[in-house]
Amino acid sequence: MVQRVAVIGAGPSGLTSVKACLDEGMEPTCFESSDDIGGLWKFKEVSEPNRASIYRSLTINIWKEMMCYSDFPIPADYPNYMHHSKILKYFRMYAEHFKILQHIRFQTSVKKVTQRPDFSHTGQWEVVIENKDGLEERHIFDAVICCSGHFNYPNLPLKDFPGIETFEGKYFHSWDYKGPEDMHGKRVVVIGIGNSGGDIAVEGSRVAEQVYLSTRSGAWVIRQVSDNGLPVDRFNTRFVHVMFKLLPMSFLNWLGEKKLNAMYDHAVYGLKPKHRLFSQIPVINDDLPFKILSGSVLVKPNLKEIRGSTVVFDDGTTAENVDLIVFATGYNYDFPYLPKHVMYKSGHRVGLYKHVFPPVLEQPTLAIVGFIHSDGSIMPQAEMQARFVTRVFKGEASLQQRPSLNAYMFFSYSYVVSRLTPLQVDFVEYMDDLAQDIGVRPSLLWLFLTDFPLFMRVFWGPITAYQYRLMGPGKWNGARRAIFTQLDRMYQPLRTRQV
């Protein structure tokens, strides 16, 4: 019987994991190495080793209604896309409302997690920590939830860029970027066209002499401000999801690419990637197309070599007198405190059953929460994972049978999986699958027959996390009202002038 649970990390995934444990009557203890909650969203002027880092101007690219926890809506007056400081305030409100803070030990680092000698019978773990006084402690827990994230270890592949040792300027990973102060009047090369690379190129172009954005494969770039000025996430509905099931992917790719190219032709802008639109999570950036159009950002192919202050690209063109190179080249992942045999790879994928449970263990008492990436927000996904995990711990949900390792589900779907993108899943498919296991997946037929107005909003409206609190374990009486008022919360922060 699982009672005492260790939760590692007090970021978004750790907070919701503590709450899920409390909801199931367990006794969680959360270990957080810093002095505050928030994880990634706790901005610091200087990046700390082995911790996620963000830049000063960062604003989330997920609509607030799609990123909030399922039983705690973000305040109506908060903007639709929030600055990191607002997000941290929301997490603090969440932690205070559900009395999570009293279960967190701050300035406490987890050094080692090992199985007890009788693990095959008890499923227990020994957790070695270092407290804020620098003293080592050992504790026994019935289960462990790891919530340390996947943006902690920058990938800086210098060996892939011949001549980097001859570079006369400064270079660093985007993990170290805090703002454009060092770019004033400089010639800058940004390597990588993910969301961070795009943001840094745009922000730097406002003060730099010239910014070059180097990309190996290109990217599809979508806007947050979509049709009628509404958040693009607003159109992520169950109806659209059904269409993705019924219509050929080739047609959907053609249709989506046609719409994007009608705004700015990706081939003309040098952005057109090698993959199709729905094969990889797109870059979200409203400003990048204009910066390209105005010439302050020049899109270039992959960097071939570096000769002193000259950067040579694959097409033979060069950037002269380069002062600064920013490597927006993604992250590696690691759980240094876990036994090495627990985390293994299947191709590029991490070997986790439903991206949560290591299948190599005799007892399902170790879970990884928040170690995932999709076309949706991490917060509701981590919350769903935590609900699934605690139900498994309690014995109310099972891992079905114990199939062979090759039979475990990894949720590849249509996404291209690579070394740097091993965690990608389809948001709706993944959420619905876990919800089915928990018993909280909304029944469209039942809603159609018993509550047609709610059915219309669940099927035609955005797929917000409130839908997973309508029925089953953890049902929230405020879920129906939250769904009916979600568009009101979208419009309220825009009503700053009566017209």
Side-chain angles (χ1 to χ4, degrees), residues 261-333:
N261 285 325
M263 291 183 282
Y264 34 87
D265 191 312
H266 281 60
V268 171
Y269 278 58
L271 294 168
K272 185 177 180 180
K274 300 173 182 177
H275 59 267
R276 303 303 300 273
L277 174 58
F278 296 114
S279 296
Q280 195 165 307
I281 296 172
V283 171
I284 303 175
N285 198 306
D286 289 52
D287 298 323
L288 182 59
F290 173 72
K291 291 298 181 180
I292 296 171
L293 193 62
S294 65
S296 52
V297 173
L298 300 179
V299 181
K300 305 296 289 185
N302 192 43
L303 192 153
K304 181 180 180 181
E305 63 176 318
I306 299 167
R307 303 171 186 164
S309 62
T310 299
V311 169
V312 182
F313 300 101
D314 275 349
D315 61 358
T317 59
T318 61
E320 308 285 345
N321 302 317
V322 173
D323 303 291
L324 183 65
I325 299 176
V326 182
F327 289 88
T329 45
Y331 292 83
N332 298 312
Y333 54 86

Side-chain angles (χ1 to χ4, degrees), residues 155-276:
N155 175 56
L156 193 60
L158 297 182
K159 61 181 176 54
D160 294 341
F161 300 95
I164 185 66
E165 69 280 358
T166 70
F167 183 55
E168 299 171 359
K170 177 183 178 182
Y171 67 83
F172 58 84
H173 191 275
S174 57
W175 178 81
D176 279 313
Y177 177 79
K178 297 300 175 181
E181 294 81 10
D182 293 338
M183 297 183 178
H184 280 268
K186 302 290 181 65
R187 296 173 65 80
V188 180
V189 174
V190 178
I191 301 175
I193 199 174
N195 286 318
S196 295
D199 283 352
I200 293 170
V202 165
E203 188 169 54
S205 71
R206 298 189 177 108
V207 298
E209 177 186 329
Q210 183 64 64
V211 172
Y212 300 87
L213 181 56
S214 171
T215 171
R216 185 189 304 271
S217 57
W220 294 105
V221 179
I222 67 174
R223 301 183 305 176
Q224 290 165 282
V225 182
S226 189
D227 295 352
N228 300 314
L230 299 181
V232 67
D233 323 51
R234 159 74 179 81
F235 303 98
N236 189 0
T237 68
R238 289 192 177 275
F239 169 76
V240 170
H241 187 66
V242 169
M243 291 299 100
F244 268 75
K245 289 288 191 181
L246 298 178
L247 298 175
M249 188 56 67
S250 58
F251 172 75
L252 293 168
N253 278 314
W254 171 82
L255 187 64
E257 291 165 11
K258 185 174 185 293
K259 183 173 179 60
L260 288 182
N261 285 325
M263 291 183 282
Y264 34 87
D265 191 312
H266 281 60
V268 171
Y269 278 58
L271 294 168
K272 185 177 180 180
K274 300 173 182 177
H275 59 267
R276 303 303 300 273

Side-chain angles (χ1 to χ4, degrees), residues 209-488:
E209 177 186 329
Q210 183 64 64
V211 172
Y212 300 87
L213 181 56
S214 171
T215 171
R216 185 189 304 271
S217 57
W220 294 105
V221 179
I222 67 174
R223 301 183 305 176
Q224 290 165 282
V225 182
S226 189
D227 295 352
N228 300 314
L230 299 181
V232 67
D233 323 51
R234 159 74 179 81
F235 303 98
N236 189 0
T237 68
R238 289 192 177 275
F239 169 76
V240 170
H241 187 66
V242 169
M243 291 299 100
F244 268 75
K245 289 288 191 181
L246 298 178
L247 298 175
M249 188 56 67
S250 58
F251 172 75
L252 293 168
N253 278 314
W254 171 82
L255 187 64
E257 291 165 11
K258 185 174 185 293
K259 183 173 179 60
L260 288 182
N261 285 325
M263 291 183 282
Y264 34 87
D265 191 312
H266 281 60
V268 171
Y269 278 58
L271 294 168
K272 185 177 180 180
K274 300 173 182 177
H275 59 267
R276 303 303 300 273
L277 174 58
F278 296 114
S279 296
Q280 195 165 307
I281 296 172
V283 171
I284 303 175
N285 198 306
D286 289 52
D287 298 323
L288 182 59
F290 173 72
K291 291 298 181 180
I292 296 171
L293 193 62
S294 65
S296 52
V297 173
L298 300 179
V299 181
K300 305 296 289 185
N302 192 43
L303 192 153
K304 181 180 180 181
E305 63 176 318
I306 299 167
R307 303 171 186 164
S309 62
T310 299
V311 169
V312 182
F313 300 101
D314 275 349
D315 61 358
T317 59
T318 61
E320 308 285 345
N321 302 317
V322 173
D323 303 291
L324 183 65
I325 299 176
V326 182
F327 289 88
T329 45
Y331 292 83
N332 298 312
Y333 54 86
D334 191 18
F335 295 85
Y337 48 81
L338 289 180
K340 294 300 181 184
H341 74 280
V342 169
M343 301 293 284
Y344 78 100
K345 290 184 180 179
S346 176
H348 292 299
R349 289 282 188 186
V350 183
L352 294 172
Y353 177 69
K354 300 197 177 185
H355 288 275
V356 177
F357 285 101
V360 296
L361 299 175
E362 297 170 272
Q363 299 283 352
T365 55
L366 173 68
I368 314 295
V369 168
F371 191 59
I372 199 167
H373 186 208
S374 80
D375 52 335
S377 171
I378 183 62
M379 275 65 91
Q381 289 177 103
E383 180 186 43
M384 189 66 75
Q385 288 179 325
R387 294 172 70 185
F388 174 57
V389 165
T390 52
R391 296 291 288 177
V392 170
F393 286 172
K394 194 176 180 181
E396 299 293 340
S398 69
L399 303 187
Q400 299 169 9
Q401 301 169 346
R402 301 286 295 179
S404 65
L405 299 186
N406 293 331
Y408 275 79
M409 300 166 62
F410 293 94
F411 289 90
S412 296
Y413 298 111
S414 63
Y415 287 131
V416 174
V417 179
S418 67
R419 184 178 66 84
L420 292 178
T421 58
L423 311 175
Q424 295 187 359
V425 298
D426 179 273
F427 176 76
V428 181
E429 291 279 358
Y430 187 68
M431 291 285 283
D432 276 354
D433 184 83
L434 289 184
Q436 185 72 36
D437 289 341
I438 302 168
V440 297
R441 181 174 178 173
S443 170
L444 294 180
L445 178 59
W446 178 255
L447 292 177
F448 179 82
L449 295 173
T450 62
D451 193 338
F452 188 72
L454 179 58
F455 164 81
M456 292 292 288
R457 285 163 176 80
V458 169
F459 186 70
W460 294 98
I463 308 175
T464 49
Y466 316 126
Q467 297 186 9
Y468 301 103
R469 291 285 182 179
L470 290 170
M471 53 189 67
K475 178 182 177 180
W476 175 45
N477 291 332
R480 186 179 188 275
R481 185 174 185 278
I483 292 172
F484 272 74
T485 56
Q486 58 195 3
L487 297 186
D488 294 334

